[in-house]
Amino acid sequence: MVGTLRTTPLAWAVRLGNLYVEIFRNIPLIVQMFLWFFVMPELVPEALGDWIKQMPPPWGSYVPAVLCLGVFTSVRIAEQVRAGINSLPRGQRMAAIAMGLTEAEAYRYVILPQALRIILPPLTSEFMNVIKNSSVALTIGLLELTGRARAMQEFSFRVFEAFATATVIYLLTNLVVVLLMRALERKVRVPGLIAAGGAPQAGH
Amino acid sequence: MISLKNVAKWYGSFQVLADCSTEVAKGEVVVVCGPSGSGKSTLIKCVNGLEPFQKGEITVDGISVGDPKTNLPKLRSRVGMVFQHFELFPHMTVMQNLTLGQVKVLGRSREEALQKGMKLLERVGLSAHKDKFPAQLSGGQQQRVAIARALSMDPIAMLFDEPTSALDPEMINEVLDVMVELAKEGMTMMVVTHEMGFARKVARRVIFMDAGRIVEDAGKEEFFGTPRSERAQLFLSKILHH
Ligand SMILES: Nc1ncnc2c1ncn2[C@@H]1O[C@H](COP(=O)(O)OP(=O)(O)OP(=O)(O)O)[C@@H](O)[C@H]1O
Ligand SMILES: [Mg+2]
């Protein structure tokens, strides 16, 4: 949505969108994690802050972790949506507007359906990144996969097995994501069109 | 039907259009030509408000295009536009391209839109291709679909911006034929093109532009007989002699 905003003719929306994206894209994930966990509860109204701090153990860190990963991923996706929209020929928007569609309708029926097809491959890698980035949440004490592996290791000293298990689970989760996205890509593929401009955006 | 009065437009400090005035009466076909960068596309895009202009007045069917109170989407839905690069929507089938505007803008029912779409596809000779996607058609076929798409809105006038200049030579005629037929049925048309054969056949007037100005605005016979400006003569001799 933010990505879409940044391609509209509305100057203030573009600037707001850019600010949001640049802030969250340029701060390392781990710093953001700390910000969400330690600083955010102090910034929000006191009652809400106290409530967050007093949440029972897994939740107290789960909420900031989800928020952090959510925002971090959303700005990366916003960036891709913007790139996807900008890669469409300018004439497409013109043709849509010229037939009497409003700006919003042009986005809904003409621009976004095409842009989303283009960014589907990079979106896949973004999904996989969220899963991998969840390991950073370890730093704020959330028992996610890497965390569990480390805990197990302390109990059992079976380092190798523990991390092997963690690796396999990460791999499997990502494999499922990849397969689902492939299926989706196949479903929306447009006959006669060869992966419209998909290649240049892929990979990071 | 279409009237321009002293229209001027700037991109920053660069003046693209200067003091452009002309009229297109109902049922008239007017061809606009001129060298590259002379402002032909810009002029025609100003007519349906795709490009804003800073000075002057444009009215279409009595409605002012520059007036901020004008409902531009509504006005645009009544003026068909055909682009150099077709601009069919690649993620929709031919038929979906033809029904989108009818359903979303005009509020027609799906059945009504399909019927109309089918009729227009037959007219441009492409009914067999209704379920194909644009990328599966040749350039000439795509442009004919684009014309049918514009016609599906029952426009009161049609604007063409170099509709054949992106086509291979052998496909130009199939598109021009459709346009000639339209002109003969009395459609009001403003056509940017260098196809002087088309101009000779159906145009009533020819407008010659250079550096953002309308240098020549004359009846067809007059234009091809003795164009008054040197610039137009030079241009004509260039495009007619190869
Ligand atoms: N968005 C823009 N910003 C700045 N300058 C522009 C823009 N669009 C067009 N121009 C300039 O305006 C002038 C007229 O452009 P326009 O596209 O109307 O010319 P044209 O007569 O249609 O040319 P062609 O035959 O090449 O299509 C050109 O000099 C072009 O460089
Ligand atoms: Mg042009």
Side-chain angles (χ1 to χ4, degrees), chain B residues 105-140:
Chain B
V105 179
L106 302 181
R108 288 185 184 149
S109 73
R110 188 149 295 282
E111 296 73 56
E112 204 182 341
L114 283 172
Q115 261 178 21
K116 176 103 196 168
M118 207 53 217
K119 226 187 272 167
L120 286 165
L121 281 182
E122 271 160 28
R123 171 175 181 170
V124 297
L126 292 170
S127 43
H129 301 279
K130 70 179 169 69
D131 295 321
K132 286 197 180 164
F133 285 86
Q136 297 169 307
L137 301 179
S138 75

Side-chain angles (χ1 to χ4, degrees), chain B residues 47-61:
Chain B
V47 171
N48 64 353
L50 282 182
E51 290 281 356
F53 51 95
Q54 283 82 32
K55 264 199 189 150
E57 197 188 17
I58 300 180
T59 59
V60 176
D61 198 28

Side-chain angles (χ1 to χ4, degrees), chain A residues 12-169:
Chain A
W12 62 268
V14 174
R15 237 172 269 145
L16 200 70
N18 285 346
L19 185 73
Y20 177 74
V21 168
E22 289 312 324
I23 286 180
F24 287 103
R25 205 159 68 117
N26 292 327
I27 301 178
L29 180 61
I30 188 158
V31 176
Q32 289 190 32
M33 223 24 126
F34 277 111
L35 284 177
W36 280 103
F37 186 57
F38 295 113
V39 183
M40 190 265 296
E42 310 295 334
L43 291 181
V44 295
E46 206 170 321
L48 184 62
D50 286 344
W51 179 70
I52 293 176
K53 280 186 253 178
Q54 277 156 21
M55 270 188 286
W59 298 111
S61 47
Y62 186 72
V63 170
V66 166
L67 285 176
C68 179
L69 279 180
V71 170
F72 185 76
T73 310
S74 80
V75 298
R76 298 182 54 106
I77 291 180
E79 191 54 23
Q80 283 159 0
V81 171
R82 189 184 64 84
I85 291 176
N86 285 346
S87 74
L88 297 179
R90 236 166 58 89
Q92 285 286 307
R93 190 182 144 271
M94 266 208 180
I97 300 276
M99 68 161 49
L101 294 174
T102 62
E103 196 80 41
E105 288 169 332
Y107 271 96
R108 169 148 174 230
Y109 300 117
V110 176
I111 299 176
L112 286 179
Q114 293 184 57
L116 291 181
R117 282 178 173 82
I118 291 176
I119 64 166
L120 217 47
L123 218 51
T124 309
S125 64
E126 211 46 58
F127 262 130
M128 305 197 326
N129 273 339
V130 185
I131 294 165
K132 286 183 278 184
N133 285 343
S134 67
S135 68
V136 177
L138 173 73
T139 53
I140 58 172
L142 179 61
L143 282 179
E144 52 63 82
L145 222 46
T146 316
R148 275 186 204 276
R150 187 159 288 163
M152 264 163 70
Q153 167 206 344
E154 271 158 23
F155 285 130
S156 59
F157 299 99
R158 290 166 68 182
V159 184
F160 181 76
E161 284 90 335
F163 275 95
T165 313
T167 307
V168 167
I169 293 178

Side-chain angles (χ1 to χ4, degrees), chain A residues 92 97-99 109 114 190, chain B residues 76 87-91 153:
Chain A
Q92 285 286 307
I97 300 276
M99 68 161 49
Y109 300 117
Q114 293 184 57
V190 175
Chain B
R76 291 182 187 125
E87 306 300 352
L88 293 175
F89 305 135
H91 60 300
M153 307 291 284

